[in-house]
Amino acid sequence: MGHSRPTPVQVVFDTRCVLCSRWVQFLLRHEADDRLRFVGAWSPTGLDLAARHGLDEQDLQRTYLVVQDGVGLTRSDAGLALLMHLKVPWRWLRLLRIVPRRIRDAAYDLVARNRYRWFGTTKTCLIPGRDTRHRFTLD
């Protein structure tokens, strides 16, 4: 009896955003199941994935997109979905789902609106290491 590989979870993120790139690095360091695949938001693949889930470039300025089992998630729902792929104790942060979505999303939106000012931007996107390069689509 063979085991089928779990489907990858695609994370479409803003490669110019320092906070977003640090989040990707954090996910890689603490990931439990090796399912995450990272796609640059401004790449043809990222823009296509976004469009397939009803998002345009302007939407990608305000949120990242997580595609899990064919479902597109954004804002705090996307973050909570990613927490399920992390090792304990980080996975326990998934308990934040008890906070009503409108409150979670308001906090998410506050950070998203100010991320460039608070954390900065970079002209060079995250450069994955040799051991994780196969998990990225950045151009």
Side-chain angles (χ1 to χ4, degrees):
M1 206 177 349
H3 290 286
S4 64
R5 280 189 75 116
T7 56
V9 174
Q10 295 170 299
V11 181
V12 180
F13 73 103
D14 180 353
T15 54
R16 296 185 296 241
C17 169
V18 171
L19 175 64
C20 304
S21 291
R22 286 185 183 155
W23 173 235
V24 167
Q25 291 167 339
F26 178 86
L27 292 169
L28 285 168
R29 267 194 318 276
H30 300 287
E31 184 182 16
D33 57 17
D34 197 38
R35 285 182 61 191
L36 303 179
R37 300 296 179 267
F38 303 94
V39 181
W42 319 118
S43 70
T45 303
L47 292 169
D48 180 57
L49 263 173
R52 280 192 266 153
H53 292 278
L55 303 176
D56 60 22
E57 285 188 53
Q58 214 164 358
D59 295 319
L60 291 175
Q61 290 288 345
R62 294 186 293 271
T63 187
Y64 62 100
L65 169 66
V66 172
V67 180
Q68 181 168 283
D69 300 323
V71 177
L73 302 166
T74 59
R75 300 165 75 197
S76 65
D77 285 343
L80 289 173
L82 290 174
L83 292 173
M84 285 305 298
H85 298 281
L86 299 183
K87 297 173 190 161
V88 169
W90 303 109
R91 180 184 299 230
W92 295 336
L93 290 172
R94 180 84 165 96
L95 294 174
L96 290 170
R97 74 181 177 274
I98 65 169
V99 175
R101 180 186 288 148
R102 71 178 193 290
I103 294 171
R104 287 188 277 120
D105 282 349
Y108 181 95
D109 292 344
L110 176 68
V111 174
R113 262 194 319 276
N114 294 291
R115 72 189 189 283
Y116 290 159
R117 186 177 16 187
W118 293 347
F119 300 96
T121 61
T122 180
K123 293 211 185 308
T124 59
C125 71
L126 172 73
I127 299 171
R130 186 174 294 139
D131 55 335
T132 59
R133 194 170 294 145
H134 67 284
R135 298 172 66 190
F136 284 81
T137 304
L138 299 174
D139 50 14

